[in-house]
Amino acid sequence: MLSELLQGIETGGLLIIQDSCSYSGRDLLRSFIAAALNREEEVHVLCFDVSEDELTDGLKPPATQRLHVHNAYPDPLGWTDHPAFAVQQFRLEDLTDLVKQASQPKPATLVIDSLSWVLRHAAPPAVCRTLQQLRKGGAVRAVVALLHADMHQRGTVGSVCHLASSLVAVAPGPKGNEAVAKITKRSKSGKVAQDEETFCITEDLTVAVLSRPSSLPEAKPNGSEEEQADPTANLTFNLRLSESELEAKQKLTLPFVFSKEKKTALLHPGPGSGRILYEPDANDDYDQEDPDDDLDV
Amino acid sequence: MAAPVSGMGEAPAERLPVNSTSFQKKTRSKLVSIPGTRPSVQNGQLLVSTGVTSLDYLLGGGLAVGTVLLIEEDRYDSYSRMILKYFLAEGVVCRHELFVATAQDNPDDILQELPAPILDDVAVPKAVEQPRLTGEPQDSLDAMKIAWRYQHLPKVQSALASSSRFGHYYDVSKTMEAEIRQAAKCHRFCLPDHVTPSSTAHRLESYSALLESLQEVIHREGFDLAAPMSKSRNILRVGLHSLGSALWGDDLCCHDKPRHRHALTTFLYGLRALLRSSLSVAVVTLPSHLIQDRALMGSITRLCDNAIALESFKGSERETNPLYKDYHGLLYVRQVPHLNCLASQLPDHKDLAFKLKRKQFSIERLHLPPDLSETVSRVSRGELASACGPSASGTKNLDF
């Protein structure tokens, strides 16, 4: 499933890569950027955590024409007079302007490295609202964000991941350069698909999916089907029927087997078969509180 | 007790008028007869169906008009959204009016996904559906050879269902046709249209905007109980999706100690007061798995009348548990209201599991299979004897 995600995120999708300090998800994020560039898409990157050089290291020149990096690393909070991009600009209007002025008419993919920076300096409900509006609006085709799960409270991480259409949680794998990814994908119809894969990232930012650590349930081989244990075998008496006995059994008429007409007549009682006509008379005028009918009320 | 029938042989013109006695049957207090509702057999409240017949049974026959049903969402909000859709679809079929509120999504998204009702459904006897082994032409009577008198009785089911036909059944694989849906009047509330978000707001405005909008709809459309009963009355079904999530501007789910701690509880208090004085019923879904403060969750549950929680097996380790293989998740009934009575009728079974089938959302009691393995421990005879009879040391004191 990781390779499917790398090949393309559906329009209006939000992919969140959740990592922790034991394994950094930045390499996976960079391979998503590389894959999007190779697909001839415009990519806008909001760079908070690391410098621009470190992020774009390994991306080849012809592809980097479509890459627009908004470098917030030197001055993320806008302390100088002219910051390239500041955290306060993480709002729908500013982001839409940013994306529209740089790219071609085709909508772009927005990559955020990392969302944790934004969540530290802006209120989580506002960030969630902005992310949701970005997805619904037409300026951005899809959003890929990196989130450091151990930097926030569980509720914050949960709320942000609740919005995501795909979630990839990475953890260190059994061997040195391998990692395990737990992928959850939610489709619009409400179906949820989950998967767990081991992968490693090569020098040129391609992801090699190695194996699936969770063993799939063994598919039953089609050829060998166990026969149901035959209960009539291995007995000291005979329970089987011969041909003539089978015929006689089927010819036997059971008691209380009626013909079809009698059955319908019994099942659907016709009108007028048993109606009770009653008109209330003096005996029904029984008052509980005045049984002898002699009180003068 | 056979009473003599008088006037049998008389001509109809000479018959005595029917009201010859002064006996007057005590009638019930005037209950409005609104389509899609029925009075409860337990306490006389007016009930509406939630759309899921098993859920109606658990809540004591249905949702009482004027109450709130809280659904604690499952992790991926699939089944709670399904129940909300059933609720709204039931409103469309019963010709009630709808009010749908969402935070950022368009309410029309939910309305377009409503399941299609199965309109010609009567309790179809299972016997008719059995495969015809004898190959005779369409003859339902021959499907049961010996027990044919039980032909038309419905098959006994372990799913919980009310005995009377009050709710409808829906086919989840199809969506409701546009004509049926547009015949129902629907009021929508989408948060961005009503509230412009400002980051410096110290008070949460989204909930108060929602409450004002709902109050305005109730007053304008005449669902108020105080309004004169001039025209025929109808029920308003209110569906509030994912209340309390971050998209409503509330940080209840985000922080362990939320700043707007009382915003949602104040809203629920106001909502319940509004509903009690009008002919409406509300279903609220809440992502409770994100709320870290359990005490707050408890007070939210207390403020709603009915409360159920869904836990889906998808994605948890319970998915592979063979015990749960037939079901999609567990259902907990957190609270059932006691309206105008001292005690409420909680369902007998506490372990409930649900399964979303194509034509039914069934809630069943979770059965434990009998443990037939050899490792089941049995009480040894020696222990039994010592438990039942007096122990050796005990008889010393009782020795006469």
Side-chain angles (χ1 to χ4, degrees):
Chain A
M1 209 182 286
L2 195 56
S3 27
E4 287 157 20
L5 281 175
L6 278 165
Q7 277 159 19
I9 313 170
E10 74 275 7
T11 313
L14 171 64
L15 172 79
I16 292 193
I17 300 173
Q18 198 179 331
D19 69 349
S20 60
C21 50
S22 42
Y23 181 82
S24 168
R26 188 157 296 110
D27 288 333
L28 190 60
L29 187 73
R30 294 196 305 141
S31 47
F32 270 99
I33 298 176
L37 287 173
N38 293 340
R39 275 198 310 271
E40 318 263 326
E41 284 176 13
E42 300 277 333
V43 178
H44 287 254
V45 181
L46 299 181
C47 207
F48 287 100
D49 266 3
V50 294
S51 64
E52 182 177 344
D53 304 326
E54 200 178 322
L55 194 66
T56 54
D57 179 32
L59 294 172
K60 305 279 188 316
T64 47
Q65 283 169 10
R66 293 184 287 275
L67 178 70
H68 308 268
V69 179
H70 306 283
N71 197 1
Y73 179 71
D75 184 19
L77 293 176
W79 289 338
T80 63
D81 288 334
H82 304 287
F85 186 82
V87 158
Q88 293 86 345
Q89 287 177 280
F90 191 80
R91 277 195 316 253
L92 179 68
E93 305 85 21
D94 297 334
L95 285 172
T96 322
D97 293 336
L98 204 67
V99 170
K100 278 213 165 90
Q101 71 188 200
S103 70
Q104 322 288 343
K106 179 169 64 170
T109 306
L110 182 68
V111 176
I112 306 173
D113 171 32
S114 63
L115 203 56
S116 295
W117 242 101
V118 184
L119 281 171
R120 295 302 289 180
H121 295 281
V127 174
C128 290
R129 193 169 50 230
T130 309
L131 281 175
Q132 186 77 356
Q133 283 167 347
L134 272 176
R135 289 172 71 187
K136 299 294 176 192
V140 170
R141 202 185 74 92
V143 181
V144 180
L146 181 66
L147 182 69
H148 305 301
D150 41 8
M151 270 179 73
H152 307 283
Q153 294 174 354
R154 281 177 54 190
T156 313
V157 174
S159 300
V160 173
C161 294
H162 194 64
L163 294 176
S165 62
S166 320
L167 179 70
V168 180
V170 290
K175 298 203 198 92
N177 57 346
E178 289 173 6
V180 172
K182 283 202 179 71
I183 306 152
T184 309
K185 209 167 153 184
R186 289 165 72 174
S187 69
K188 283 204 171 59
S189 59
K191 292 213 185 348
V192 176
Q194 288 201 323
D195 203 4
E196 195 175 313
E197 290 175 356
T198 316
F199 68 97
C200 80
I201 303 186
T202 61
E203 285 288 325
D204 57 347
L205 296 178
T206 52
V207 175
V209 176
L210 296 173
S211 67
R212 295 156 171 260
S214 60
S215 59
L216 294 170
E218 294 289 326
K220 281 209 181 69
N222 292 332
S224 64
E225 281 177 3
E226 286 179 40
E227 293 286 337
Q228 288 277 338
D230 190 13
T232 54
N234 300 332
L235 292 171
T236 54
F237 43 88
N238 181 25
L239 274 183
R240 296 199 181 101
L241 294 171
S242 70
E243 285 299 321
S244 54
E245 285 169 346
L246 211 59
E247 271 180 42
K249 178 186 172 195
Q250 278 171 358
K251 271 200 228 140
L252 183 65
T253 51
L254 298 168
F256 298 107
V257 168
F258 300 131
S259 66
K260 196 161 67 90
E261 295 78 19
K262 190 156 181 199
K263 276 189 198 172
T264 29
L266 282 168
L267 275 177
H268 306 287
S273 55
R275 260 196 7 209
I276 300 172
L277 300 159
Y278 178 70
E279 287 166 23
D281 67 346
N283 284 338
D284 288 308
D285 194 14
Y286 180 69
D287 191 6
Q288 279 280 23
E289 296 167 21
D290 185 13
D292 300 323
D293 231 1
D294 54 0
L295 288 179
D296 190 17
V297 280
Chain B
M1 186 173 90
V5 179
S6 66
M8 259 300 267
E10 293 172 7
E14 293 167 8
R15 216 185 304 165
L16 296 168
V18 183
N19 277 3
S20 58
T21 67
S22 60
F23 178 71
Q24 298 242 336
K25 189 178 167 213
K26 233 201 301 195
T27 53
R28 284 173 168 270
S29 56
K30 276 273 188 69
L31 277 177
V32 277
S33 62
I34 307 172
T37 66
R38 67 160 187 182
S40 159
V41 293
Q42 288 158 9
N43 50 13
Q45 294 284 329
L46 199 63
L47 298 179
V48 293
S49 168
T50 51
V52 180
T53 39
S54 315
L55 191 58
D56 284 342
Y57 176 77
L58 282 179
L59 297 176
L63 268 182
V65 171
T67 57
V68 181
L69 168 65
L70 175 75
I71 302 178
E72 294 182 28
E73 292 176 7
D74 49 317
R75 186 162 287 276
Y76 300 110
D77 192 22
S78 23
Y79 299 106
S80 45
R81 199 180 165 99
M82 196 68 233
I83 297 186
L84 187 66
K85 286 191 278 191
Y86 272 120
F87 177 71
L88 296 172
E90 181 74 23
V92 172
V93 170
C94 296
R95 287 190 285 273
H96 297 158
E97 291 192 22
L98 306 179
F99 180 99
V100 185
T102 54
Q104 295 292 334
D105 308 328
N106 201 348
D108 280 321
D109 289 344
I110 300 184
L111 287 171
Q112 272 156 15
E113 291 172 12
L114 295 184
I118 303 174
L119 288 167
D120 51 350
D121 63 339
V122 187
V124 178
K126 278 290 172 81
V128 184
E129 293 169 7
Q130 280 169 6
R132 273 167 251 282
L133 305 160
T134 54
E136 276 187 70
Q138 315 297 321
D139 201 346
S140 59
L141 287 173
D142 278 62
M144 276 188 176
K145 248 179 125 182
I146 296 176
W148 52 271
R149 284 179 203 267
Y150 299 110
Q151 198 74 12
H152 291 192
L153 292 181
K155 201 169 170 189
V156 173
Q157 295 167 345
S158 69
L160 311 171
S162 308
S163 54
S164 59
R165 281 265 298 112
F166 173 49
H168 298 85
Y169 291 95
Y170 298 91
D171 189 344
V172 173
S173 57
K174 303 183 213 149
T175 51
M176 193 181 268
E177 286 158 31
E179 304 95 58
I180 308 178
R181 193 176 61 236
Q182 275 148 18
K185 201 161 169 196
C186 183
H187 308 275
R188 295 164 180 80
F189 177 93
C190 192
L191 189 63
D193 302 335
H194 291 253
V195 171
T196 49
S198 58
S199 52
T200 55
H202 61 280
R203 225 170 49 90
L204 209 55
E205 292 182 354
S206 48
Y207 293 138
S208 41
L210 175 59
L211 205 56
E212 278 166 17
S213 169
L214 184 59
Q215 185 178 31
E216 194 252 338
V217 165
I218 287 179
H219 200 68
R220 192 182 65 212
E221 304 289 328
F223 293 108
D224 254 338
L225 282 176
M229 315 240 288
S230 50
K231 47 183 181 152
S232 60
R233 308 306 295 267
N234 206 352
I235 302 272
L236 178 69
R237 289 190 182 228
V238 180
L240 306 176
H241 181 248
S242 218
L243 219 56
S245 71
L247 296 175
W248 283 93
D250 200 0
D251 58 352
L252 201 67
C253 295
C254 300
H255 296 139
D256 288 346
K257 292 193 190 340
R259 200 158 56 119
H260 301 123
R261 196 186 162 83
H262 294 293
L264 183 61
T265 44
T266 315
F267 168 76
L268 287 173
Y269 194 67
L271 176 72
R272 204 167 66 157
L274 195 60
L275 292 182
R276 288 283 199 270
S277 59
S278 64
L279 285 173
S280 347
V281 64
V283 167
V284 175
T285 67
L286 185 81
S288 67
H289 54 96
L290 297 173
I291 296 180
Q292 309 295 323
D293 190 349
R294 300 322 297 173
L296 195 55
M297 197 57 229
S299 61
I300 291 174
T301 309
R302 293 280 176 284
L303 281 169
C304 299
D305 302 297
N306 307 274
I308 62 172
L310 297 173
E311 182 190 326
S312 130
F313 293 145
K314 189 80 203 177
S316 71
E317 63 274 4
R318 293 195 192 185
E319 201 173 356
T320 48
N321 194 336
L323 181 62
Y324 299 132
K325 68 175 163 54
D326 289 331
Y327 301 107
H328 287 144
L330 297 177
L331 187 139
Y332 305 100
V333 176
R334 300 268 191 235
Q335 187 172 253
V336 173
H338 35 262
L339 304 161
N340 304 332
C341 55
L342 283 176
S344 53
Q345 178 118 3
L346 279 173
D348 299 334
H349 329 292
K350 297 285 190 296
D351 302 313
L352 299 163
F354 66 85
K355 184 175 176 62
L356 178 62
K357 295 189 271 208
R358 192 166 77 93
K359 295 204 175 173
Q360 200 189 2
F361 185 96
S362 67
I363 302 171
E364 292 167 18
R365 187 176 174 189
L366 193 61
H367 295 281
L368 272 180
D371 194 3
L372 297 172
S373 66
E374 290 159 7
T375 54
V376 169
S377 65
R378 305 192 193 284
V379 180
S380 66
R381 286 187 169 247
E383 287 171 35
L384 265 180
S386 64
C388 298
S391 57
S393 58
T395 49
K396 249 192 267 178
N397 302 331
L398 293 177
D399 223 353
F400 298 102

